[in-house]
């Protein structure tokens, strides 16, 4: 009985250790400086974190509620198949698309410009 208690404790403590070694299951958050963001892009990152990150990953290709936005402007096409340029991304963000709500009445023009600047860094 006493030995099995010890064994239980050992298993439990290694499980806890593994949990922390794995960074609690979340990827490490990089700072704006580590990402090489300028002031506008860093402001755009804040906008993204507030309004977009619940549905989109920025640094992982995994889909969330919406498609991953990793490399958004580096690819020729958006997930929908439209050309990856400012015009179509603007239409999606302001007007919405499918299950995605539009942010036309939510974001100020400045927040939108900051956000676009940030999306270009992905
Ligand atoms: C409630 C979840 C949700 C939120 C919040 C959200 N999106 Fe989306 N987004 C989606 C879904 C779902 C799609 C796929 C839409 C489709 O093609 O049917 C999508 C698609 C997109 C696309 C790809 C459009 C295309 O043509 O393929 C872009 C770019 C995008 N979102 C950017 C953003 C940005 C920037 C924000 C923050 C301002 C945001 N989204 C907030 C759910 C969301």
């Amino acid at each position: 009985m006493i030995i099995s208690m010890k064994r239980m404790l050992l298993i439990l403590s290694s499980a806890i250790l593994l949990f922390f070694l794995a960074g609690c299951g979340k990827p490490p958050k990089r700072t704006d400086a580590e990402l090489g963001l300028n002031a506008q892009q860093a402001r755009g990152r804040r906008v993204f974190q507030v309004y977009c990150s619940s549905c989109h990953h920025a640094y992982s290709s995994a889909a969330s509620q919406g498609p991953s936005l990793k490399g958004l402007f580096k690819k020729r096409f958006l997930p929908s198949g439209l050309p990856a340029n400012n015009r179509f991304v603007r239409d999606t963000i302001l007007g919405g698309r499918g299950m995605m709500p539009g942010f036309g009445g939510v974001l100020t023009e400045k927040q939108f410009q900051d956000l676009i600047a940030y999306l270009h860094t992905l």
Side-chain angles (χ1 to χ4, degrees):
M1 193 59 195
I2 289 170
I3 292 171
S4 70
M5 269 292 271
K6 263 191 184 167
R7 196 170 278 173
M8 283 268 284
L9 271 175
L10 192 71
I11 292 168
L12 196 71
S13 50
S14 32
I16 291 170
L17 189 70
L18 267 177
F19 184 73
F20 283 107
L21 282 178
C24 308
K26 277 187 191 159
K29 252 227 169 81
R30 283 178 288 172
T31 64
D32 296 340
E34 281 167 341
L35 292 168
L37 304 182
N38 66 28
Q40 185 187 28
Q41 294 159 347
R43 286 196 304 271
R45 188 183 183 201
R46 299 288 96 75
V47 175
F48 182 87
Q49 282 165 342
V50 173
Y51 296 104
C52 321
S53 63
S54 55
C55 293
H56 295 285
H57 289 303
Y59 300 110
S60 144
S61 322
S64 175
Q65 286 198 61
S68 159
L69 301 187
K70 187 180 176 192
L72 186 68
F73 284 107
K74 302 207 169 59
K75 297 176 188 154
R76 277 185 65 200
F77 299 105
L78 297 171
S80 65
L82 289 167
N85 61 34
N86 280 351
R87 187 185 140 202
F88 291 115
V89 170
R90 182 186 179 96
D91 286 352
T92 295
I93 295 172
L94 299 185
R97 164 171 289 277
M99 295 297 287
M100 175 173 157
F103 290 86
V106 179
L107 301 176
T108 64
E109 180 61 24
K110 185 174 184 294
Q111 283 177 315
F112 174 77
Q113 292 302 336
D114 293 348
L115 177 62
I116 285 285
Y118 171 65
L119 293 177
H120 274 277
T121 71
L122 300 183

